[in-house]
Amino acid sequence: TILGRKASALRKQTHQEYYTEYDEGNQALSRRLVTSLTRPCRLLVTQPIIQLMGLLLAYNFGILYIVLSTFAALWTERYGQSLGDSGLHYIALAIGYTIAAQAGARITDRVWKHLKTRAGGETQPEYRVPLMIPGAIIIPIGLFWYGWTAQEKMFWILPDIGIAIFGCGIIVGTQAMQAYVMDSFRKHVASASAASQLLRSITGFAFPLFAPSLYAKLGYGWGNSLLAFVFMAIGVPAPLILWKYGAGLRAMGKPQW
């Protein structure tokens, strides 16, 4: 914006065509809109790193919404609580979110600073990857804890602890993945973020559709265990792949500016 204002002032003063690299010159508004509005889809189709991050974010969001869509029913149907009392248990999820949001942001900044200093001031999007590791560990722990304590109808605070752990892992992992995408596509952060989040919006809608049948057939214990095992198969190798091959995957993408 600052550069754009400076270029505009120079055009008025000198009557010469001064534009920044972010300006589209005299391009028609309709053309600029088409380019900008289609960029997220083009990024999703052509960028392997966006596809990988989109898959990871999609499963994260999908299992989150499975849990959210069935959480109240656990307390009303299995524990016999009222609707009002069941709603209070969301406080546990909020506690997990808050701890992760506050601690995760500080930790990722310190890790980034440490790796940048070690590299002599050079930065890479892969410096966001280390924080994905605790997320990949915490999410399955939370699912196992929450699922089996709910399955055995243990004292109410135990499932709440499990759901808080799960929520903490979701936020930590999502923070790291979104930061990785933003650092990988700094010129078009909004478009890259939109591209990586398209699939997660679909799973956020679709996964709760089969959640009741999942728990009806497998129960909370094995139902959440299945979700945890699938997450481990996807989420645990992901940080290692990104750390080692992230730069190569980014290089494979065709520019879509």
Side-chain angles (χ1 to χ4, degrees):
T1 299
I2 294 172
L3 290 174
R5 290 171 179 169
K6 185 175 181 179
S8 178
L10 286 171
R11 288 197 299 271
K12 291 178 180 178
Q13 293 171 8
T14 65
H15 302 290
Q16 296 182 21
E17 297 299 310
Y18 281 97
Y19 292 98
T20 72
E21 63 174 311
Y22 306 101
D23 290 328
E24 300 294 337
N26 295 321
Q27 192 178 79
L29 176 61
S30 59
R31 178 59 184 169
R32 294 172 65 184
L33 285 173
V34 169
T35 301
S36 297
L37 293 174
T38 60
R39 187 181 291 115
C41 293
R42 288 185 280 116
L43 287 173
L44 182 60
V45 172
T46 62
Q47 307 296 320
I49 201 69
I50 290 283
Q51 296 162 5
L52 176 59
M53 300 307 296
L55 175 64
L56 296 173
L57 286 166
Y59 192 72
N60 260 28
F61 219 56
I63 58 174
L64 171 62
Y65 269 76
I66 283 180
V67 171
L68 288 177
S69 66
T70 58
F71 192 54
L74 166 69
W75 303 107
T76 57
E77 297 174 4
R78 195 165 185 82
Y79 281 79
Q81 296 182 358
S82 67
L83 285 174
D85 289 342
S86 71
L88 295 175
H89 293 280
Y90 285 95
I91 295 174
L93 195 60
I95 290 172
Y97 286 168
T98 304
I99 292 172
Q102 297 304 313
R106 288 165 173 77
I107 293 171
T108 193
D109 285 345
R110 289 185 179 182
V111 171
W112 174 273
K113 183 178 180 180
H114 169 74
L115 293 174
K116 179 181 177 180
T117 301
R118 194 177 70 175
E122 296 293 325
T123 63
Q124 295 291 335
E126 282 69 38
Y127 295 172
R128 303 295 187 184
V129 170
L131 204 64
M132 291 176 60
I133 297 174
I137 297 171
I138 295 172
I139 289 174
I141 291 175
L143 284 172
F144 286 130
W145 186 317
Y146 164 63
W148 287 106
T149 54
Q151 179 68 29
E152 300 300 324
K153 291 185 65 174
M154 294 184 180
F155 187 56
W156 61 266
I157 200 170
L158 293 175
D160 278 348
I161 292 173
I163 204 70
I165 294 171
F166 168 73
C168 186
I170 286 287
I171 295 300
V172 168
T174 301
Q175 275 184 336
M177 287 185 276
Q178 289 180 332
Y180 184 90
V181 170
M182 289 188 286
D183 285 335
S184 298
F185 299 90
R186 292 185 179 182
K187 290 185 66 174
H188 296 285
V189 170
S191 294
S193 297
S196 66
Q197 293 177 29
L198 174 62
L199 296 178
R200 86 173 196 172
S201 299
I202 294 172
T203 57
F205 156 75
F207 274 36
L209 298 179
F210 64 78
S213 59
L214 172 71
Y215 290 126
K217 292 180 180 179
L218 299 178
Y220 284 93
W222 283 114
N224 282 315
S225 294
L226 176 62
L227 297 175
F229 287 135
V230 175
F231 178 85
M232 290 168 65
I234 298 173
V236 172
L240 303 177
I241 293 171
L242 288 172
W243 185 260
K244 189 170 183 179
Y245 302 108
L249 289 172
R250 291 197 308 276
M252 290 171 60
K254 298 179 181 178
Q256 298 294 325
W257 316 136

